[in-house]
C-alpha cells in the first residue's frame, strides 16, 4: 500500500494556495486596466472583485461539510477543474459577449476553486502536523501573501513592458501564468495518497462536532473573523486602486505589505510559542490599526512605511484564527476550520460590494456638480476630466481606508478580552 508522503502533500498544498494568491495579486494589479479598457465603474469593479469572495465561502462551507465523507483528494481534483476553467475564461474575456459577465463568471469560478483549496488543505495540514498546527498553518498560509507579492510584481514589471499598446490581449499573458502552478498541483495531488481528517481519525461524533460549533467561544471567533478578513483582504485587493493617485507606485505597496506577511509567517513558530495565538491576535490588531492610519493619512514614501506596518499587522490574522480554533476547539474539526474561512470571505464580499458604491459616491462628491462618473472614467474622457478624476480619487481612496480602520480598532478590544479570558482559563486549568 502506498505510504502517505506528508512533505509532497504539503508542497502540493502550497502550490494550490499559490494559485489562489496569484489570482488575488494579478487581478488586483489588473483592476484598473479592466476598468479603463472595458469602461467599468467602481461599483462594477467591486461586484466583480466581490464575486471571488462569494464563491469562496460557498465552496469552503460545502466542502467543509463533505470533506469527512468524500475525502480531501476528490475536493482538490474539483479545485483544479474550477481553477483551470476560471483562468481560461478570464483570458478570453472581451473576445466574446460581455466582458463584465465574462469577468464576473470567471472570478466566481476562481473563488469556488480557492474555497475548495482551503476546504481541503486546512484540514490536510492539521492532519499531517497534528503536533504543531498553528505554526504549520502559518507556514502553509505564507504562500497566500507570497503569491500576491509574485503576482503584483509580475503585473508591475511585466505590465509596464506591455502597457504601450492598446490591445487588450496584452494582460492575458499575465493571467496565463497562473496555469503553471495549477497544472503542477493537479499533477502532484493526483499521484499521492491522503490521510483522513483529524475528526475522523480521532472518532469524534458528528453530534459532538455540532455541539462544539455552537459554543460561545466559537461564535465569538466567527464574529472576529469578519473583521480580520475584511481588514486583510479588502485592503489588499483594493490598495492599488485606493492609493493609485496618492503614489505612483501603488501596486508596489501591495508587494511590500504582502512581502512582510510572507516573511512573518515563515518565522511564525517562535512568535506563536512566545505569545500564544491570542497574544499574537492582539498584537496583530494593534499593528493593523496603526498601519491603516498611516496609509490613510500620509503620501509619498510614508505610504510604504504604512504598508510595512500594515503587513506586520495582518500577517498572522488568518492562519492564527484557524490555529486558535483547531487547538482550543478541536472537536469542531474540518467543518469548524472551513466555517471560519467561509465566514471571513463572505464578510469580505458584502463589505466590498457596499464600499464599492460608497467609493463611487465619495469620488462623485469631489467632481463638478452633475458630472457623469462613467464618462469621466471612460477611454474617451478628456485630459481635463482625467485630471479631475485623479484628484477626486486622491481624496476618496484614503477616506475608504480610514473607514475600514474602524474594524481593527474594534478587534483590539475584542482580542484584549480574549487574551485575558484565555489567561484566566489556563490558570484555572
Amino acid at each position: 500500500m502506498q505510504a502517505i508522503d506528508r512533505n509532497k502533500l504539503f508542497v502540493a498544498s502550497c502550490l494550490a494556495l499559490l494559485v489562489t494568491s496569484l489570482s488575488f495579486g494579478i487581478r488586483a494589479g489588473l483592476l484598473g486596466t479592466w476598468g479603463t479598457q472595458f469602461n467599468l465603474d467602481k461599483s462594477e469593479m467591486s461586484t466583480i472583485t466581490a464575486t471571488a469572495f462569494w464563491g469562496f465561502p460557498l465552496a469552503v462551507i460545502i466542502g467543509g461539510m463533505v470533506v469527512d465523507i468524500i475525502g480531501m483528494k476528490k475536493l482538490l481534483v474539483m479545485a483544479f477543474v474550477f481553477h483551470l476553467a476560471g483562468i481560461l475564461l478570464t483570458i478570453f474575456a472581451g473576445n466574446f459577449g460581455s466582458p463584465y459577465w465574462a469577468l464576473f463568471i470567471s472570478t466566481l469560478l476562481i473563488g469556488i476553486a480557492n474555497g475548495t483549496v482551503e476546504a481541503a488543505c486546512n484540514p490536510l495540514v492539521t492532519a499531517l502536523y497534528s503536533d504543531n498546527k498553528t505554526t504549520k498553518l502559518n507556514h502553509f498560509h505564507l504562500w497566500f501573501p507570497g503569491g500576491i507579492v509574485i503576482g503584483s510584481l509580475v503585473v508591475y514589471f511585466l505590465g509596464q513592458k506591455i502597457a504601450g499598446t492598446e490591445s487588450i490581449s496584452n494582460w492575458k499573458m499575465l493571467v496565463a501564468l497562473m496555469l503553471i502552478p495549477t497544472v503542477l498541483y493537479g499533477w502532484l495531488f493526483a499521484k499521492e495518497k491522503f490521510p483522513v481528517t483529524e475528526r475522523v481519525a480521532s472518532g469524534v461524533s458528528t453530534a459532538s462536532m455540532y455541539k462544539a460549533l455552537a459554543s460561545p467561544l466559537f461564535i465569538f471567533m466567527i464574529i472576529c473573523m469578519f473583521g480580520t478578513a475584511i481588514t486583510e483582504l479588502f485592503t489588499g485587493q483594493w490598495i492599488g486602486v485606493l492609493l493609485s493617485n496618492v503614489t505612483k507606485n501603488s501596486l508596489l505597496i501591495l508587494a511590500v505589505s504582502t512581502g512582510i506577511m510572507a516573511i512573518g509567517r515563515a518565522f511564525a513558530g517562535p512568535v506563536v510559542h512566545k505569545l500564544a495565538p491570542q497574544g499574537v491576535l492582539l498584537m496583530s490588531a494593534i499593528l493593523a490599526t496603526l498601519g491603516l492610519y498611516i496609509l490613510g493619512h500620509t503620501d509619498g514614501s510614508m505610504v510604504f512605511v504604512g504598508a510595512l506596518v500594515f503587513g506586520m499587522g495582518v500577517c498572522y490574522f488568518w492562519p492564527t484564527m484557524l490555529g486558535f480554533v483547531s487547538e482550543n476547539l478541536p472537536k469542531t474539526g474540518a467543518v469548524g476550520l472551513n466555517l471560519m474561512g467561509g465566514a471571513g470571505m463572505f464578510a469580505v464580499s458584502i463589505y466590498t460590494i457596499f464600499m464599492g458604491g460608497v467609493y463611487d459616491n465619495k469620488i462623485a462628491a469631489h467632481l463638478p456638480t452633475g458630472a457623469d462618473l462613467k464618462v469621466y472614467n471612460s477611454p474617451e474622457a478628456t485630459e481635463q476630466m482625467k485630471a479631475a478624476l485623479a484628484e477626486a480619487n486622491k481624496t476618496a481612496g484614503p477616506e475608504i481606508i480610514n473607514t475600514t480602520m474602524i474594524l481593527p480598532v474594534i478587534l483590539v478590544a475584542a482580542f484584549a478580552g480574549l487574551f485575558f479570558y484565555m489567561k484566566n482559563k489556563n490558570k484555572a486549568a
Side-chain angles (χ1 to χ4, degrees):
M1 182 178 290
Q2 182 186 3
I4 294 172
D5 189 330
R6 72 177 188 175
N7 289 329
K8 285 184 180 178
L9 286 173
F10 187 74
V11 169
S13 298
C14 293
L15 281 170
L17 191 63
L18 177 61
V19 179
T20 295
S21 57
L22 282 174
S23 72
F24 277 84
I26 290 176
R27 282 171 174 266
L30 293 176
L31 273 177
T33 300
W34 291 337
T36 300
Q37 293 183 343
F38 298 135
N39 193 21
L40 306 172
D41 60 28
K42 296 296 188 296
S43 293
E44 290 170 323
M45 288 164 63
S46 68
T47 302
I48 290 170
T49 304
T51 306
F53 299 111
W54 297 344
F56 187 105
L58 176 69
V60 81
I61 291 173
I62 294 175
M65 291 179 176
V66 302
V67 66
D68 290 334
I69 302 168
I70 69 173
M72 294 174 272
K73 187 168 187 172
K74 289 181 180 177
L75 274 184
L76 287 163
V77 170
M78 293 170 58
F80 168 75
V81 172
F82 281 120
H83 265 145
L84 196 61
I87 292 167
L88 291 174
L89 184 56
T90 302
I91 292 170
F92 291 106
N95 286 35
F96 55 89
S98 164
Y100 171 80
W101 284 109
L103 292 172
F104 181 96
I105 295 170
S106 67
T107 305
L108 178 63
L109 290 173
I110 289 175
I112 291 172
N114 294 347
T116 307
V117 166
E118 288 266 341
C121 288
N122 283 324
L124 175 59
V125 171
T126 59
L128 293 173
Y129 301 96
S130 57
D131 57 338
N132 200 18
K133 297 177 189 177
T134 300
T135 297
K136 293 308 291 185
L137 280 169
N138 269 282
H139 290 168
F140 166 56
H141 280 278
L142 79 82
W143 288 98
F144 188 80
I148 293 177
V149 172
I150 295 169
S152 56
L153 289 177
V154 164
V155 173
Y156 180 77
F157 289 110
L158 188 55
Q160 283 188 332
K161 292 181 180 179
I162 65 174
T165 67
E166 295 299 322
S167 173
I168 63 170
S169 65
N170 290 314
W171 53 263
K172 296 181 180 181
M173 71 160 94
L174 304 178
V175 178
L177 291 174
M178 290 191 286
L179 291 171
I180 299 171
T182 299
V183 172
L184 279 174
Y185 91 70
W187 176 70
L188 282 171
F189 277 136
K191 299 185 348 175
E192 296 301 317
K193 176 180 172 60
F194 281 65
V196 296
T197 62
E198 270 197 300
R199 185 180 75 83
V200 172
S202 62
V204 174
S205 69
T206 303
S208 296
M209 177 189 70
Y210 283 110
K211 184 178 179 181
L213 292 173
S215 70
L217 182 58
F218 183 77
I219 294 170
F220 172 82
M221 294 305 291
I222 283 279
I223 294 170
C224 288
M225 193 70 176
F226 296 161
T228 59
I230 291 170
T231 302
E232 176 186 346
L233 297 177
F234 169 79
T235 309
Q237 185 80 154
W238 276 83
I239 200 166
V241 176
L242 293 171
L243 299 178
S244 60
N245 296 106
V246 175
T247 174
K248 293 180 181 179
N249 298 315
S250 60
L251 197 55
L252 287 183
I253 299 171
L254 178 61
V256 168
S257 63
T258 50
I260 290 297
M261 290 171 66
I263 294 169
R265 289 178 182 179
F267 298 98
V271 179
V272 172
H273 291 303
K274 179 72 174 176
L275 298 177
Q278 56 272 18
V280 173
L281 290 171
L282 175 58
M283 175 193 71
S284 297
I286 293 170
L287 290 173
T289 302
L290 179 59
L292 285 180
Y293 180 85
I294 297 172
L295 285 172
H297 291 83
T298 61
D299 54 21
S301 59
M302 276 301 295
V303 172
F304 289 92
V305 175
L308 188 72
V309 176
F310 176 73
M312 292 167 61
V314 297
C315 170
Y316 298 118
F317 265 162
W318 191 279
T320 305
M321 292 290 285
L322 298 182
F324 179 91
V325 169
S326 184
E327 289 184 9
N328 294 283
L329 297 159
K331 290 184 179 180
T332 59
V335 175
L337 290 177
N338 291 322
L339 279 175
M340 289 286 289
M345 285 294 187
F346 179 73
V348 175
S349 72
I350 299 299
Y351 189 81
T352 300
I353 293 172
F354 174 74
M355 292 308 287
V358 172
Y359 194 8
D360 275 338
N361 291 336
K362 286 184 178 294
I363 291 174
H366 297 290
L367 292 175
T369 304
D372 187 331
L373 191 55
K374 268 195 171 293
V375 174
Y376 273 68
N377 197 48
S378 70
E380 294 78 27
T382 64
E383 290 302 316
Q384 185 178 3
M385 288 179 176
K386 291 178 182 178
L389 184 63
E391 192 61 32
N393 195 58
K394 187 174 182 179
T395 304
E399 287 176 352
I400 296 295
I401 290 176
N402 292 334
T403 301
T404 303
M405 186 179 67
I406 296 170
L407 293 173
V409 170
I410 295 171
L411 288 172
V412 170
F415 289 141
L418 179 66
F419 179 82
F420 289 110
Y421 169 78
M422 294 302 296
K423 187 176 181 180
N424 292 332
K425 182 180 179 183
N426 292 333
K427 278 184 180 179

